[in-house]
Amino acid sequence: MLARVDTCTVRGVEALPLRVEVSLTTGLPSFTVVGLAQSAVREGRERVAAALRSSGYGVPNRRITVNLAPADLRKEGTGFDLPIAVGILAAHGAVPSEALRDVIVVGELGLDGALWSVPGVVAAALLARASERTLLLPEENLPEANLVPGVEAVGVPDLVTAVLALGGTGAPKYSVRPPRETASVVRGGAEERGALKPSELADVSGQPLARRALEIAAAGRHNLLLVGPPGVGKTMLASRMPGILPPMCAEERLEVAAVHSVAGTPRGQRSVAVRPFRAPHHSVSYAGLGGGGRPLRPGEISLAHHGVLFLDELPEFRRNVLEVLRQPLEEGVIRLARADGAVCFPARFLLVAAMNPCPCGYAGDGSDRCRCDPTIVARYRGRISGPLLDRIDLHVEMGTAHGLRDGNGIAAKDIAGRVASESTAVVAKRVRAARERRRDRYAAGEDYPTEQRGAINREARLLLEALTVRFRLSMRGRDRVLRVARTVADLEQAAELRESHVAEAAQYRVSAIR
């Protein structure tokens, strides 16, 4: 007796179709799983057998052979439990084979027959929609599957309900447990209670230059580095970035949901519209930031896809960990090559980094608290490589009430609250208008203005040439100055690049830590 059940496995953020073949033959009772199955898949034999017994079906007293095809593709994870159990029941006649033709089955089984959630359901739902099939999955994963428009998904709480949903016969005589109420998505100890309200930018006092840089970064998707002593508001400003970014479109929300689903940190219906904000600790590993592990899972840079990646205390990160940022900052993806193949995770994020000017944090703050030797300061700042700094468009040095730098700091009147700061809504409106202007000016998907494609007057061109020579800008640096200048012009609703736009862009390019 032979049965076939369609399922899938996730590679990167893409679901690959697989087929579970189950054969029941005469001979000494055994249970074998073949097809390059890894340990979690092989251990599923015990879970499946216990679940069948607990659900009242029992394990056929036959030689059971399960083949996961194609056999040359590595199989990892626990999502094969349910398709294997359904295949055994189908081979034994408890589930009609016709019901399995247009269904993709995924799910992990508990020893009592209950179904547990599995990662990568959004990718599985996309595969089911593309193949015009129904997705049968654990009930807890149903909210994730419903994020994919146009897919038919059926969530079940246990093996018994799954068999009945497939039109199975020979179900146990006792009543089927009622489906559990769809659980809220709980990850990391925090329960999802609705979309998060963005922090208010008006709460930030002073720091006009840093606030302006934050607005430019949001409008043009430019990376930002904030340098200043402790307590000047670097982290506070960075946390306001998601609030001034435009809302995600439907395609972006689906991409973000797929990445978080694969990582096992699904985003529910309400929070999926909120742009991700990831702030890993400086002790994060290479795999934690860039992705890796077994099975391969996306790292923090992919979890920040279409959102913000905030790296506080930038020099405290290990240098080899920071270098993983180079490719994603340029290409918007990260490619991980392993012995069994390569995967590609999306990683188009907005980088906001913060650091102190020296190890003690008080260099140049206008006080005499800093006692750091110049050699120590240079070594501290040198922990960040030049190529990485070259990929950060905006460098801003922030001051305190005692050490204002070119007006960028917190004045006494700001602390007293006599100066009202612009709200998040006001800045977000300008950011949306600038992005719409850029979208109207360039073809869809193109975001690299050049002197030939963008109008620039003679004075601005001459200033750009002089700055290139004066600061020895690389071709990338020159292009980044031009891009920032174009964003400044968009914020002012200007059609032509003027000298003032280039001058403002250039002041951010001269690094505050060089």
Side-chain angles (χ1 to χ4, degrees):
M1 293 174 282
L2 181 66
R4 297 180 178 87
V5 181
D6 289 323
T7 185
C8 63
T9 187
V10 177
R11 188 74 174 177
V13 292
E14 179 185 6
L16 304 179
L18 294 179
R19 174 162 290 183
V20 176
E21 299 177 329
V22 179
S23 173
L24 301 183
T25 58
T26 57
L28 291 176
S30 64
F31 195 159
T32 306
V33 178
V34 298
L36 208 57
Q38 301 307 297
S39 57
V41 183
R42 293 194 302 270
E43 290 171 356
R45 294 176 299 183
E46 306 304 323
R47 293 191 297 270
V48 169
L52 288 171
R53 296 189 186 98
S54 299
S55 301
Y57 297 105
V59 180
N61 193 27
R62 301 290 185 89
R63 180 182 179 88
I64 305 173
T65 303
V66 177
N67 178 44
L68 306 178
D72 60 344
L73 182 65
R74 187 186 296 269
K75 320 300 187 308
E76 296 174 314
T78 57
F80 300 100
D81 291 359
L82 182 58
I84 290 175
V86 168
I88 292 174
L89 293 175
H92 198 55
V95 174
S97 299
E98 306 81 45
L100 302 176
R101 293 176 181 173
D102 298 318
V103 178
I104 293 177
V105 183
V106 295
E108 176 186 346
L109 282 170
L111 299 184
D112 60 349
L115 281 172
W116 297 87
S117 62
V118 293
V121 164
V122 173
L126 290 171
L127 175 64
R129 185 181 67 177
S131 59
E132 298 182 350
R133 296 186 177 187
T134 299
L135 181 63
L136 183 67
L137 74 168
E139 187 180 52
E140 291 182 4
N141 285 128
L142 190 57
E144 292 178 70
N146 288 336
L147 295 175
V148 180
V151 67
E152 183 180 354
V154 177
V156 291
D158 48 46
L159 179 58
V160 173
T161 312
V163 172
L164 294 179
L166 293 170
T169 60
K173 295 181 180 179
Y174 57 81
S175 60
V176 178
R177 288 179 294 170
R180 295 189 300 270
E181 184 178 350
T182 301
S184 298
V185 178
V186 179
R187 289 295 182 271
E191 182 177 356
E192 180 185 291
R193 295 182 177 88
L196 299 177
K197 183 179 179 180
S199 301
E200 179 54 58
L201 188 59
D203 295 339
V204 182
S205 300
Q207 305 296 356
L209 186 62
R211 289 170 60 97
R212 172 67 170 175
L214 195 75
E215 181 177 341
I216 294 173
R221 292 190 298 185
H222 304 293
N223 302 311
L224 172 64
L225 173 62
L226 302 172
V227 183
V232 296
K234 302 187 296 293
T235 302
M236 194 175 185
L237 270 172
S239 65
R240 269 64 181 171
M241 177 65 85
I244 65 176
L245 290 172
M248 290 188 291
C249 64
E251 182 180 354
E252 288 176 336
R253 290 197 298 268
L254 195 55
E255 289 179 12
V256 171
V259 173
H260 283 257
S261 178
V262 170
T265 57
R267 296 164 65 86
Q269 291 278 5
R270 291 170 291 182
S271 67
V272 72
V274 180
R275 288 188 180 271
F277 180 84
R278 308 293 300 189
H281 191 260
H282 58 75
S283 61
V284 66
S285 65
Y286 185 96
L289 187 64
R294 178 67 67 191
L296 284 171
R297 292 284 185 261
E300 290 291 335
I301 62 175
S302 295
L303 294 174
H305 184 55
H306 289 314
V308 178
L309 177 67
F310 177 51
L311 301 183
D312 200 5
E313 305 295 344
L314 188 64
E316 301 299 333
F317 287 78
R318 290 191 291 273
R319 182 158 180 161
N320 70 310
V321 173
L322 287 179
E323 293 307 300
V324 77
L325 295 170
R326 288 200 198 181
Q327 182 188 45
L329 288 177
E330 288 292 327
E331 302 180 21
V333 297
I334 181 168
R335 298 179 179 87
L336 303 177
R338 297 294 184 267
D340 58 334
V343 299
C344 180
F345 289 118
R348 191 169 297 281
F349 55 88
L350 181 59
L351 174 65
V352 180
M355 61 174 288
N356 295 326
C358 66
C360 77
Y362 298 106
D365 73 338
S367 68
D368 58 355
R369 288 180 290 181
C370 181
R371 294 292 187 268
C372 296
D373 183 86
T375 304
I376 297 176
V377 174
R379 187 182 302 117
Y380 175 77
R381 297 178 176 182
R383 293 177 184 176
I384 309 171
S385 69
L388 179 58
L389 282 175
D390 201 40
R391 288 166 167 82
I392 300 178
D393 303 334
L394 308 173
H395 300 194
V396 180
E397 189 167 7
M398 300 172 63
T400 65
H402 307 288
L404 299 179
R405 295 179 177 275
D406 301 324
N408 187 44
I410 309 173
K413 60 181 179 180
D414 298 325
I415 299 174
R418 293 196 295 268
V419 176
S421 300
E422 287 185 316
S423 67
T424 295
V426 172
V427 178
K429 183 177 179 180
R430 289 201 299 266
V431 169
R432 285 196 299 270
R435 288 204 173 194
E436 289 172 1
R437 186 177 184 87
R438 184 185 64 188
R439 185 167 53 248
D440 294 340
R441 187 175 62 252
Y442 298 108
E446 296 184 24
D447 188 28
Y448 300 95
T450 65
E451 294 162 271
Q452 290 72 32
R453 294 175 53 193
I456 178 172
N457 65 24
R458 181 176 180 274
E459 291 77 12
R461 191 185 300 274
L462 291 176
L463 177 59
L464 181 62
E465 296 296 339
L467 291 170
T468 302
V469 175
R470 170 66 177 82
F471 295 106
R472 300 180 181 180
L473 297 178
S474 64
M475 291 303 297
R476 180 194 291 119
R478 188 176 189 276
D479 182 64
R480 295 298 177 96
V481 169
L482 192 61
R483 290 183 58 184
V484 173
R486 184 66 262 179
T487 301
V488 173
D490 288 339
L491 286 169
E492 297 180 1
Q493 300 294 301
E496 183 182 55
L497 275 182
R498 298 193 295 269
E499 187 178 14
S500 61
H501 302 147
V502 176
E504 182 175 0
Q507 73 172 332
Y508 299 116
R509 189 66 192 175
V510 181
S511 175
I513 69 170
R514 285 178 177 170

